[in-house]
């Protein structure tokens, strides 16, 4: 990551960017176009803001590389903002409400809106990378209070997505009205696809964990690859085919849930 001068970029082919941004509709952000942002509270980190209200999302997603003892020890979220952290690689320690959670690859913590989280790299001098999410919590009458949720994706239950065994899905948060959103991984065997082109009120921010696919976003067919980020706004038509020979095409994504529209 970082800036290149034009000649250097041209020589290395980097001015042929795959990224596409269609505000309030969809975006594909590829790793070669990402730049570092400075965000107070994040120290010794490379941080990139991905989906955000600036492209029409009601949440914010980040990709953060934690170096040395990097992290956020000031506090992320809380005061009405719920947060979720997922380890793409490395080892980190997350603290919520005085409790420490040591996470390895695939590990995650959800912090409810009344609690902030802190986190620090714990990877013996090597970088760790996390996918980070925050969203203002939408209150609702008659529902419980969300709680801290933690675990590892390898221990989650996978099920066939809409009856298709070749597409598996997992839910990170409980099916409980206390939660106004959920985080999932959707994983497609090579050649598998959605059963139809979804068009729904919910929005998504998705980070590709493995494999590659061709994604229909508002009827534009976009190649997407491991490390890409996809924003899908409310009502954006969406479906994908997984391509490749053996690697599953999988992405972690957020989806608002369990609430009326304000
Ligand atoms: O849950 C979903 O809406 C999901 N199947 N959407 C998607 O993969 N684009
Ligand atoms: Mn969807």
């Amino acid at each position: 990551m970082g800036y290149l001068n034009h000649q250097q970029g041209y020589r290395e082919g980097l001015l042929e960017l795959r990224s596409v941004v269609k505000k309030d509709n969809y975006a594909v952000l590829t790793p070669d176009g990402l730049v570092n942002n400075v965000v107070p509270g994040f120290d010794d980190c490379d941080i990139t803001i991905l989906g955000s209200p600036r492209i029409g999302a009601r949440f914010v997603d980040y990709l953060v590389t934690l170096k040395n003892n990097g992290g956020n020890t000031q506090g992320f979220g809380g005061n009405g903002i719920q947060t979720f952290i997922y380890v793409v690689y490395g080892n980190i320690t997350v603290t919520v409400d005085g409790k420490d959670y040591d996470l390895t690859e695939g590990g995650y913590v959800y912090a409810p809106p009344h609690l902030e989280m802190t986190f620090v790299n714990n990877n013996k001098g090597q970088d760790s990378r996390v996918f980070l999410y925050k969203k203002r919590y939408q209150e609702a009458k008659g529902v419980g209070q969300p709680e801290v949720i933690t675990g590892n994706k390898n221990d989650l239950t996978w099920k066939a997505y809409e009856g298709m065994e070749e597409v598996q899905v997992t839910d990170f948060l409980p099916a409980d009205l206390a939660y106004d959103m959920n985080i999932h991984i959707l994983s497609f065997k090579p050649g598998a696809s959605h059963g139809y082109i979804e068009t729904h009120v919910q929005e998504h921010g998705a980070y590709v964990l493995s494999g590659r696919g061709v994604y229909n976003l508002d009827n534009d067919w976009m190649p997407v690859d491991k490390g890409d980020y996809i924003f899908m706004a409310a009502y954006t038509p969406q479906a994908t085919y997984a391509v490749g020979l053996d690697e599953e095409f999988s992405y972690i994504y957020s989806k608002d849930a369990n609430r009326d529209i304000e």
Side-chain angles (χ1 to χ4, degrees):
M1 285 198 274
Y3 293 103
L4 293 163
N5 67 44
H6 284 179
Q7 273 192 344
Q8 198 184 352
Y10 183 73
R11 271 204 308 275
E12 295 178 13
L14 294 180
L15 297 186
E16 297 162 24
L17 193 62
R18 278 190 298 115
S19 294
V20 173
V21 177
K22 301 217 169 164
K23 213 175 157 206
D24 297 320
N25 189 1
Y26 72 83
V28 176
L29 303 180
T30 62
D32 48 347
L34 299 181
V35 299
N36 293 331
N37 304 126
V38 175
V39 181
F42 288 81
D43 298 314
D44 207 6
C45 291
D46 281 346
I47 177 166
T48 295
I49 298 174
L50 301 165
S52 80
R54 305 278 167 90
I55 52 169
R58 287 168 189 78
F59 55 80
V60 184
D61 281 333
Y62 310 78
L63 192 63
V64 189
T65 306
L66 295 77
K67 303 166 171 219
N68 305 307
N69 297 314
N72 186 326
T73 52
Q74 259 178 40
F76 179 66
N79 217 358
I81 308 290
Q82 59 197 328
T83 56
F84 179 85
I85 190 165
Y86 175 88
V87 180
V88 177
Y89 62 75
N91 290 281
I92 65 167
T93 301
V94 179
T95 306
V96 184
D97 205 18
K99 267 184 95 172
D100 289 342
Y101 303 92
D102 289 326
L103 306 183
T104 54
E105 184 174 327
Y108 61 90
V109 171
Y110 165 85
H114 60 287
L115 296 174
E116 57 182 30
M117 66 163 66
T118 61
F119 47 90
V120 68
N121 190 21
N122 197 5
N123 199 18
K124 302 188 181 80
Q126 306 217 44
D127 292 354
S128 295
R129 181 167 291 168
V130 300
F131 180 59
L132 193 60
Y133 165 96
K134 76 173 182 187
K135 181 175 115 35
R136 180 165 293 283
Y137 180 73
Q138 188 180 341
E139 304 281 348
K141 272 193 198 152
V143 305
Q145 196 176 11
E147 295 172 354
V148 176
I149 307 286
T150 186
N152 189 289
K153 77 156 189 197
N154 299 327
D155 303 322
L156 291 170
T157 308
W158 294 80
K159 56 196 178 203
Y161 183 66
E162 298 189 339
M164 297 181 290
E165 288 300 330
E166 67 277 19
V167 185
Q168 294 281 310
V169 68
T170 193
D171 307 338
F172 285 79
L173 303 186
D176 182 322
L177 294 183
Y179 301 87
D180 73 347
M181 60 92 194
N182 210 327
I183 307 275
H184 312 272
I185 293 178
L186 201 54
S187 196
F188 299 78
K189 292 227 178 332
S193 73
H194 284 88
Y196 54 94
I197 300 175
E198 299 176 0
T199 315
H200 52 62
V201 68
Q202 296 91 349
E203 53 185 6
H204 301 309
Y207 180 73
V208 181
L209 296 171
S210 70
R212 43 182 47 179
V214 182
Y215 222 110
N216 181 339
L217 296 161
D218 195 19
N219 288 322
D220 294 335
W221 286 96
M222 307 297 299
V224 289
D225 216 335
K226 178 177 174 175
D228 288 353
Y229 175 79
I230 312 167
F231 166 63
M232 296 169 242
Y235 299 108
T236 294
Q238 54 194 262
T240 192
Y241 285 97
V243 300
L245 291 177
D246 40 28
E247 212 183 357
E248 296 213 355
F249 174 47
S250 26
Y251 50 86
I252 184 167
Y253 69 100
S254 59
K255 181 173 186 175
D256 36 315
N258 301 328
R259 293 292 181 272
D260 199 357
I261 298 302
E262 290 185 321

